[in-house]
Amino acid sequence: MADKSIIFSAPIVRALLDGRKTQTRRLLKPKGGLPAPVNLAAHGVGTYSGEHSDPASWGWPFAEDGSDASLALFPDLSGYAPGDRLYVREAWRPHYLGDYVWNLDVTYAADGELRTILDGEFGEGDWKWPKAADRGNVPSIHMPRWASRMWLEVTDVRVQRAQEISEADARAEGLVEYSLEGPGGMTLPCWHWLLGMDDDELYTSAVAAFRALWNSLHTTEGGRWQDNPWIVAISFKVHAGNIDGSQA
């Protein structure tokens, strides 16, 4: 089990807060190279030789057979493992409360929530006031651990091709469902990929909406939906509050 950070945009943060998002997908980028050869016979899934960089060449359970595999056996490969705790980093802004006031107010760009972090609960010694805070929100990459207001408990990690996502898994990515009235009063479910932002584009399946969302985030050849890249699918439970339990 390890504690790590994970960055989300404002629409994704709102999906987490609303309880709509319980999965996230990231491009598979082996951490520290390939894992050491592992004998998986005890798990009934064969042997990985550790000789090639393409998961499709590793044999079962990574072969091109439509299956996906638990990466619990390969935490060094995916960078994630069940039991990991991921504290969410998002756009935020600290507010200076004046001389001799040692508490710190923080607002979050996704929904404007204000939280007061008490003196001693933020790292004055290793933290400098971000210049961006004088003008507006501070980018998520500059959010320290103590400012995070939620964390994710990783429950499952899988490797699969991007296009192998199921309808249920696409819904778990936090997409917004709409109901439109069709002919004869029939209700037609539609899906919105911008996760609650204003947009006219609706899709008749969650997978189609997720495809549009994926392509909006991955525009480089090799990572696009049509390239069907290998990805890491992370399932999690969302926990409110700071990962260190110092804030309610």
PDB file of all heavy atoms in Angstrom, residues 234-248:
ATOM      1  N   ILE A 234      -8.463   1.990 -13.094  1.00  0.00           N
ATOM      2  CA  ILE A 234      -8.370   2.032 -11.629  1.00  0.00           C
ATOM      3  C   ILE A 234      -9.761   2.223 -11.053  1.00  0.00           C
ATOM      4  O   ILE A 234     -10.445   3.201 -11.378  1.00  0.00           O
ATOM      5  CB  ILE A 234      -7.458   3.189 -11.174  1.00  0.00           C
ATOM      6  CG1 ILE A 234      -6.098   3.112 -11.867  1.00  0.00           C
ATOM      7  CG2 ILE A 234      -7.294   3.191  -9.661  1.00  0.00           C
ATOM      8  CD1 ILE A 234      -5.318   4.405 -11.810  1.00  0.00           C
ATOM      9  N   SER A 235     -10.206   1.303 -10.217  1.00  0.00           N
ATOM     10  CA  SER A 235     -11.468   1.436  -9.492  1.00  0.00           C
ATOM     11  C   SER A 235     -11.171   1.879  -8.067  1.00  0.00           C
ATOM     12  O   SER A 235     -10.150   1.509  -7.494  1.00  0.00           O
ATOM     13  CB  SER A 235     -12.235   0.115  -9.470  1.00  0.00           C
ATOM     14  OG  SER A 235     -12.552  -0.313 -10.777  1.00  0.00           O
ATOM     15  N   PHE A 236     -12.087   2.668  -7.499  1.00  0.00           N
ATOM     16  CA  PHE A 236     -11.793   3.242  -6.181  1.00  0.00           C
ATOM     17  C   PHE A 236     -13.060   3.610  -5.420  1.00  0.00           C
ATOM     18  O   PHE A 236     -14.148   3.708  -5.991  1.00  0.00           O
ATOM     19  CB  PHE A 236     -10.908   4.488  -6.336  1.00  0.00           C
ATOM     20  CG  PHE A 236     -11.447   5.501  -7.310  1.00  0.00           C
ATOM     21  CD1 PHE A 236     -12.471   6.387  -6.956  1.00  0.00           C
ATOM     22  CD2 PHE A 236     -10.955   5.574  -8.614  1.00  0.00           C
ATOM     23  CE1 PHE A 236     -12.973   7.307  -7.849  1.00  0.00           C
ATOM     24  CE2 PHE A 236     -11.458   6.491  -9.519  1.00  0.00           C
ATOM     25  CZ  PHE A 236     -12.469   7.364  -9.134  1.00  0.00           C
ATOM     26  N   LYS A 237     -12.890   3.815  -4.121  1.00  0.00           N
ATOM     27  CA  LYS A 237     -13.905   4.409  -3.261  1.00  0.00           C
ATOM     28  C   LYS A 237     -13.453   5.829  -2.918  1.00  0.00           C
ATOM     29  O   LYS A 237     -12.280   6.053  -2.641  1.00  0.00           O
ATOM     30  CB  LYS A 237     -14.077   3.596  -1.972  1.00  0.00           C
ATOM     31  CG  LYS A 237     -14.615   2.193  -2.177  1.00  0.00           C
ATOM     32  CD  LYS A 237     -14.730   1.472  -0.843  1.00  0.00           C
ATOM     33  CE  LYS A 237     -15.246   0.044  -1.015  1.00  0.00           C
ATOM     34  NZ  LYS A 237     -15.316  -0.679   0.293  1.00  0.00           N
ATOM     35  N   VAL A 238     -14.390   6.763  -2.930  1.00  0.00           N
ATOM     36  CA  VAL A 238     -14.073   8.160  -2.646  1.00  0.00           C
ATOM     37  C   VAL A 238     -14.284   8.437  -1.160  1.00  0.00           C
ATOM     38  O   VAL A 238     -15.326   8.084  -0.595  1.00  0.00           O
ATOM     39  CB  VAL A 238     -14.951   9.109  -3.481  1.00  0.00           C
ATOM     40  CG1 VAL A 238     -14.598  10.565  -3.184  1.00  0.00           C
ATOM     41  CG2 VAL A 238     -14.798   8.805  -4.961  1.00  0.00           C
ATOM     42  N   HIS A 239     -13.294   9.066  -0.530  1.00  0.00           N
ATOM     43  CA  HIS A 239     -13.387   9.437   0.876  1.00  0.00           C
ATOM     44  C   HIS A 239     -13.265  10.954   0.997  1.00  0.00           C
ATOM     45  O   HIS A 239     -12.331  11.556   0.457  1.00  0.00           O
ATOM     46  CB  HIS A 239     -12.281   8.771   1.691  1.00  0.00           C
ATOM     47  CG  HIS A 239     -12.375   7.280   1.738  1.00  0.00           C
ATOM     48  ND1 HIS A 239     -13.078   6.603   2.714  1.00  0.00           N
ATOM     49  CD2 HIS A 239     -11.876   6.319   0.908  1.00  0.00           C
ATOM     50  CE1 HIS A 239     -12.993   5.298   2.505  1.00  0.00           C
ATOM     51  NE2 HIS A 239     -12.268   5.103   1.411  1.00  0.00           N
ATOM     52  N   ALA A 240     -14.207  11.570   1.695  1.00  0.00           N
ATOM     53  CA  ALA A 240     -14.152  13.004   1.926  1.00  0.00           C
ATOM     54  C   ALA A 240     -13.129  13.319   3.013  1.00  0.00           C
ATOM     55  O   ALA A 240     -12.882  12.503   3.903  1.00  0.00           O
ATOM     56  CB  ALA A 240     -15.531  13.531   2.329  1.00  0.00           C
ATOM     57  N   GLY A 241     -12.553  14.514   2.945  1.00  0.00           N
ATOM     58  CA  GLY A 241     -11.593  14.935   3.951  1.00  0.00           C
ATOM     59  C   GLY A 241     -10.159  14.727   3.512  1.00  0.00           C
ATOM     60  O   GLY A 241      -9.877  14.039   2.537  1.00  0.00           O
ATOM     61  N   ASN A 242      -9.251  15.291   4.280  1.00  0.00           N
ATOM     62  CA  ASN A 242      -7.840  15.170   3.977  1.00  0.00           C
ATOM     63  C   ASN A 242      -7.345  13.761   4.244  1.00  0.00           C
ATOM     64  O   ASN A 242      -7.821  13.095   5.169  1.00  0.00           O
ATOM     65  CB  ASN A 242      -7.051  16.185   4.812  1.00  0.00           C
ATOM     66  CG  ASN A 242      -5.591  16.230   4.424  1.00  0.00           C
ATOM     67  OD1 ASN A 242      -4.761  15.580   5.041  1.00  0.00           O
ATOM     68  ND2 ASN A 242      -5.265  16.997   3.400  1.00  0.00           N
ATOM     69  N   ILE A 243      -6.408  13.290   3.466  1.00  0.00           N
ATOM     70  CA  ILE A 243      -5.896  11.924   3.580  1.00  0.00           C
ATOM     71  C   ILE A 243      -5.283  11.651   4.945  1.00  0.00           C
ATOM     72  O   ILE A 243      -5.280  10.523   5.432  1.00  0.00           O
ATOM     73  CB  ILE A 243      -4.885  11.628   2.452  1.00  0.00           C
ATOM     74  CG1 ILE A 243      -4.519  10.145   2.422  1.00  0.00           C
ATOM     75  CG2 ILE A 243      -3.666  12.515   2.579  1.00  0.00           C
ATOM     76  CD1 ILE A 243      -3.663   9.762   1.241  1.00  0.00           C
ATOM     77  N   ASP A 244      -4.774  12.682   5.581  1.00  0.00           N
ATOM     78  CA  ASP A 244      -4.157  12.529   6.901  1.00  0.00           C
ATOM     79  C   ASP A 244      -5.139  12.685   8.038  1.00  0.00           C
ATOM     80  O   ASP A 244      -4.769  12.633   9.217  1.00  0.00           O
ATOM     81  CB  ASP A 244      -2.991  13.516   7.060  1.00  0.00           C
ATOM     82  CG  ASP A 244      -1.883  13.231   6.058  1.00  0.00           C
ATOM     83  OD1 ASP A 244      -1.540  12.054   5.882  1.00  0.00           O
ATOM     84  OD2 ASP A 244      -1.374  14.193   5.450  1.00  0.00           O
ATOM     85  N   GLY A 245      -6.426  12.914   7.689  1.00  0.00           N
ATOM     86  CA  GLY A 245      -7.447  12.949   8.712  1.00  0.00           C
ATOM     87  C   GLY A 245      -7.421  14.168   9.599  1.00  0.00           C
ATOM     88  O   GLY A 245      -8.022  14.175  10.671  1.00  0.00           O
ATOM     89  N   SER A 246      -6.726  15.222   9.144  1.00  0.00           N
ATOM     90  CA  SER A 246      -6.587  16.396   9.995  1.00  0.00           C
ATOM     91  C   SER A 246      -7.689  17.416   9.779  1.00  0.00           C
ATOM     92  O   SER A 246      -7.798  18.381  10.529  1.00  0.00           O
ATOM     93  CB  SER A 246      -5.230  17.073   9.739  1.00  0.00           C
ATOM     94  OG  SER A 246      -5.116  17.434   8.372  1.00  0.00           O
ATOM     95  N   GLN A 247      -8.520  17.208   8.718  1.00  0.00           N
ATOM     96  CA  GLN A 247      -9.578  18.159   8.432  1.00  0.00           C
ATOM     97  C   GLN A 247     -10.881  17.413   8.261  1.00  0.00           C
ATOM     98  O   GLN A 247     -10.928  16.344   7.684  1.00  0.00           O
ATOM     99  CB  GLN A 247      -9.256  18.962   7.172  1.00  0.00           C
ATOM    100  CG  GLN A 247      -7.961  19.761   7.288  1.00  0.00           C
ATOM    101  CD  GLN A 247      -7.279  19.883   5.971  1.00  0.00           C
ATOM    102  OE1 GLN A 247      -7.904  20.255   4.992  1.00  0.00           O
ATOM    103  NE2 GLN A 247      -5.998  19.580   5.896  1.00  0.00           N
ATOM    104  N   ALA A 248     -11.958  17.989   8.741  1.00  0.00           N
ATOM    105  CA  ALA A 248     -13.282  17.373   8.638  1.00  0.00           C
ATOM    106  C   ALA A 248     -13.860  17.572   7.251  1.00  0.00           C
ATOM    107  O   ALA A 248     -13.459  18.470   6.541  1.00  0.00           O
ATOM    108  CB  ALA A 248     -14.200  17.966   9.675  1.00  0.00           C
TER     109      ALA A 248
END
